[in-house]
Amino acid sequence: MIGGLATLRRATALAVVRDGLPIHLSPHLSPLRADPGSPPGSATPASTSPADPSPLDQLSAPALEAALRDTLARAPGLKAVCLAVDLPPGHGAPVAAVRIGGPCPPALAPRLGIGHTTATGSVATIVRGGHDLTGRPLAPLDLPALRHFALTCGLRDFAVTATGSPVLADHELQAAAAIADEVPGARITLSYEYGRAGLREREQWAIANAALCPAASRLADHVTRLLHGLPLYLARTGDGLVSAHYFRRYPLTCAEGATTSLSHAQQALDHRTAPTTPGAGRTTPGDASRTTLTPAQCAAYGATLAVPMAGVERIVRARGTAELDRAVGDAQDEALTRVLSAGAVPGSARVSSVAVNPLSYLPDGLFRLRVRAEGATP
């Protein structure tokens, strides 16, 4: 049995699923939210402000904690809980953004204060270094300037983006080591892990991910405490699940997990007869449609249908078939390692898709690799 937990549209719901069908659904849980700075469990009714409360606020409600305890008591054979949340803009932390490359006009400087990075206090710098897309160094990495920025910026959440890093990530990795030396406990997002060829696209993804890391850590820690040792998974945007450990490092992969889970549940329920009684307690199969579920219940159910999943996207330079095959094999190994980090049960991980595409309008021998791996929950 797998448990599903979702917050969607200011409502929270729980579902317990066996063999793909829900056998227990919580009633609608009122959207209570914790006052800023208050400990979990000391919640007050949600305000009528149009701003979306953070997922942590909604998951700190006493009503939810009581429902979760009741669900765990009703389902002693529960193996794991899958959490589906959306991470709305406006809840990100200040970010220290580092771009490694050449000088640029102000209009092309790192972009702060948009999307998930709306918190005041974000800062950015550009230091010399980086590579071109053939792996040739453009300049030595300016480590003294980087160390000075890390030491004086006053922040702990960093986003590092180097030109050419999807082909050769050396300067991003060296920068991460230097930042960790200067700022013990720093959370560091490296853009090469997102694989996009465009510098500004990768940079924006890295900045957004870094902004979400503090809230993701608080959210994962809070729900993990409530589960008393049960494994926690979070629904990805698009498809799949990741472990709480993976979510703490790559929260942007789950930014629209609840919306994704709702969509998957609706598709599943359109093609099967499923128990969809919205009240508390056990349900029984019958002629019901997805419209009898609240959106939050539907999202909670949808989260349980997914499996651990992770992917790797890289740009590689290969001078022949043998070199390209080695690059694909390395990417497959990395994807399998990542899906184990994402919570796949050992022995269940497998490569589910591989795509190799030559890059147009760039030097010959450059390819974009996309590898996806998946596994099973307990």
Side-chain angles (χ1 to χ4, degrees):
M1 288 189 294
I2 299 292
L5 172 60
T7 66
L8 187 72
R9 301 175 189 171
R10 296 178 179 264
T12 301
L14 287 153
V16 176
V17 173
R18 179 189 290 134
D19 298 328
L21 297 178
I23 60 171
H24 171 76
L25 294 168
S26 72
H28 173 78
L29 301 174
S30 59
L32 304 182
R33 62 186 298 183
D35 291 326
S38 63
S42 56
T44 57
S47 71
T48 58
S49 167
D52 288 331
S54 74
L56 181 59
D57 289 338
Q58 290 186 284
L59 291 169
S60 295
L64 170 67
E65 297 186 18
L68 187 54
R69 286 194 297 270
D70 176 67
T71 299
L72 295 177
R74 290 173 180 267
L78 207 62
K79 300 295 185 182
V81 170
C82 307
L83 171 61
V85 296
D86 288 344
L87 302 174
H91 298 286
V95 173
V98 177
R99 181 189 292 177
I100 302 171
C104 69
L108 297 179
R111 300 174 67 193
L112 303 172
I114 61 173
H116 293 287
T117 59
T118 54
T120 59
S122 292
V123 293
T125 191
I126 300 175
V127 301
R128 297 287 293 180
H131 298 79
D132 65 18
L133 287 180
T134 68
R136 180 176 61 88
L138 299 175
L141 176 59
D142 189 348
L143 281 173
L146 175 65
R147 288 181 178 276
H148 176 75
F149 175 76
L151 189 62
T152 59
C153 70
L155 299 176
R156 295 181 62 245
D157 294 285
F158 290 81
V160 179
T161 306
T163 57
S165 63
V167 175
L168 188 62
D170 288 8
H171 282 185
E172 288 192 7
L173 295 169
Q174 291 176 39
I179 291 168
D181 284 344
E182 301 295 339
V183 186
R187 289 177 287 248
I188 306 168
T189 297
L190 303 181
S191 81
Y192 87 93
E193 296 181 287
Y194 290 95
R196 270 64 174 183
L199 172 70
R200 301 199 76 192
E201 183 184 10
R202 279 187 292 109
E203 183 174 67
Q204 202 57 53
W205 274 70
I207 291 171
N209 188 80
L212 290 172
C213 280
S217 293
R218 293 193 299 270
L219 178 62
D221 291 347
H222 174 60
V223 179
T224 299
R225 284 194 297 268
L226 298 178
L227 296 182
H228 303 294
L230 277 179
L232 172 65
Y233 294 86
L234 289 102
R236 291 173 53 112
T237 301
D239 201 7
L241 301 170
V242 297
S243 65
H245 166 75
Y246 195 98
F247 173 68
R248 290 182 180 96
R249 185 171 179 185
Y250 305 108
L252 191 61
T253 61
C254 301
E256 297 178 357
T259 298
T260 293
S261 296
L262 173 63
S263 175
H264 289 175
Q266 290 172 337
Q267 294 171 22
L269 292 174
D270 279 341
H271 292 89
R272 70 176 66 177
T273 299
T276 53
T277 304
R282 293 183 62 86
T283 61
T284 56
D287 294 329
S289 72
R290 59 183 171 83
T291 59
T292 63
L293 290 175
T294 68
Q297 288 172 331
C298 204
Y301 168 53
T304 69
L305 303 179
V307 297
M309 188 173 293
V312 171
E313 184 173 341
R314 293 284 182 270
I315 296 174
V316 300
R317 185 172 178 83
R319 298 174 181 83
T321 301
E323 195 170 349
L324 182 58
D325 288 344
R326 284 195 298 271
V328 171
D330 290 343
Q332 290 177 320
D333 290 344
E334 184 177 351
L336 290 170
T337 299
R338 280 199 177 200
V339 81
L340 290 172
S341 177
V345 173
S348 71
R350 65 180 185 87
V351 174
S352 56
S353 66
V354 177
V356 182
N357 301 108
L359 292 178
S360 303
Y361 310 110
L362 290 171
D364 289 342
L366 286 177
F367 299 85
R368 174 178 280 117
L369 306 183
R370 294 186 180 95
V371 178
R372 175 172 287 189
E374 61 183 47
T377 54

